[in-house]
């Protein structure tokens, strides 16, 4: 998911007007042959490739799931872009934040998202997704109040994004607001009915709401919808625990 997100963000960041094709070629290489992309990006950087060369380097590291080097490259690209104004620093800060978050550095991730949002360049869906990203960092830091503020802003900007509703439902559950959790997970299911993660969370909310039958149905749905996924594996474990707590009566 993080790789797809970073790739989408890369597509949204226009390369330098002088060499658009070089950035596109480097970004494509980063996805398919990251070792070669790293070599080319470093060579390009020595020749004055600027923010675009560093961004390509970050994409290549992200493909290899080397999140901290990727974040460092994106941050360097963002700082360079702030000076050169060749491309959008805000979008690069968002990429840096997502790489930091994937690397388990939530505080640094939030700082990067703060930098992106502070520039005032993002708008519409891009702005909504940035608020959603910052909410994820806040949740990782245990700051649920700030997370709620960002998720509510994201829902207003990207109301058709099922992930926004899923994260909102999960946050509401953690805040013991089961009524809102149920409402939001239903909205997520309307937008992504076959998503195992949505079904898993629906089961989590149902069990806390005192509805074990509904929880069982949701968790079984998670397994059927996306067998072998992380959400399906967790749902299977939840079902096993439910069965252990509610043994079938004999006779």
């Amino acid at each position: 998911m993080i790789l797809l997100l970073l790739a989408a963000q890369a597509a949204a960041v226009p390369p330098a007007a002088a060499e658009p094709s070089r950035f596109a070629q480097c970004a494509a290489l980063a996805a398919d042959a990251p070792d070669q992309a790293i070599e080319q990006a470093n060579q390009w950087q020595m020749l004055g490739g600027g923010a675009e060369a560093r961004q390509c380097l970050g994409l290549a590291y992200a493909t290899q799931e080397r999140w901290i080097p990727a974040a460092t490259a994106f941050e360097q690209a963002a700082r360079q872009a702030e000076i050169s104004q060749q491309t959008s620093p805000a979008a690069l800060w968002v990429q840096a934040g997502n790489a930091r978050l994937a690397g388990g550095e939530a505080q640094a991730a939030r700082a990067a998202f703060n930098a992106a949002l502070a520039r005032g360049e993002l708008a519409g869906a891009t702005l909504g997704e940035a608020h959603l990203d910052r909410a994820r960092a806040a949740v990782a830091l245990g700051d649920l109040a700030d997370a709620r503020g960002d998720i509510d802003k994201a829902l207003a900007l990207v109301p058709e994004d099922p992930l926004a509703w899923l994260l909102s439902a999960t946050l509401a559950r953690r805040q013991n607001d089961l009524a809102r959790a149920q409402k939001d997970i239903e909205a997520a299911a309307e937008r992504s009915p076959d998503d195992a993660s949505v079904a898993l969370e629906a089961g989590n909310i149902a069990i806390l709401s005192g509805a074990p039958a509904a929880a069982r149905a949701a968790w079984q749905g998670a397994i059927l919808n996306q067998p072998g996924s992380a959400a399906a594996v967790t749902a299977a474990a939840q079902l096993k625990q439910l069965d252990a707590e509610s043994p079938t009566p004999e006779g």
Side-chain angles (χ1 to χ4, degrees), residues 5-134:
L5 181 61
L6 290 174
Q9 290 165 353
V13 180
E19 291 185 301
S21 63
R22 183 160 189 174
F23 175 81
Q25 291 170 1
C26 191
L29 193 62
D32 298 330
D35 286 335
Q36 294 179 38
I38 290 168
E39 182 178 352
Q40 287 196 17
N42 281 325
Q43 290 175 353
W44 186 17
Q45 188 176 314
M46 288 188 290
L47 294 172
E52 291 73 31
R54 292 184 185 278
Q55 184 189 12
C56 181
L57 185 63
L59 291 171
Y61 283 138
T63 299
Q64 296 176 331
E65 298 187 7
R66 297 169 63 185
W67 301 116
I68 304 310
T72 300
F74 289 135
E75 288 162 359
Q76 290 172 341
R79 293 188 184 99
Q80 198 156 1
E82 287 172 351
I83 297 170
S84 67
Q85 296 298 309
Q86 289 178 305
T87 189
S88 168
L92 291 165
W93 280 119
V94 171
Q95 287 185 306
N98 275 295
R100 289 287 179 194
L101 201 53
E105 296 189 347
Q107 189 66 54
R110 181 154 68 173
F113 295 134
N114 285 343
L117 290 164
R119 294 194 61 83
E121 297 173 0
L122 304 176
T126 305
L127 178 59
E129 297 299 339
H131 278 294
L132 202 59
D133 290 334
R134 190 167 67 175

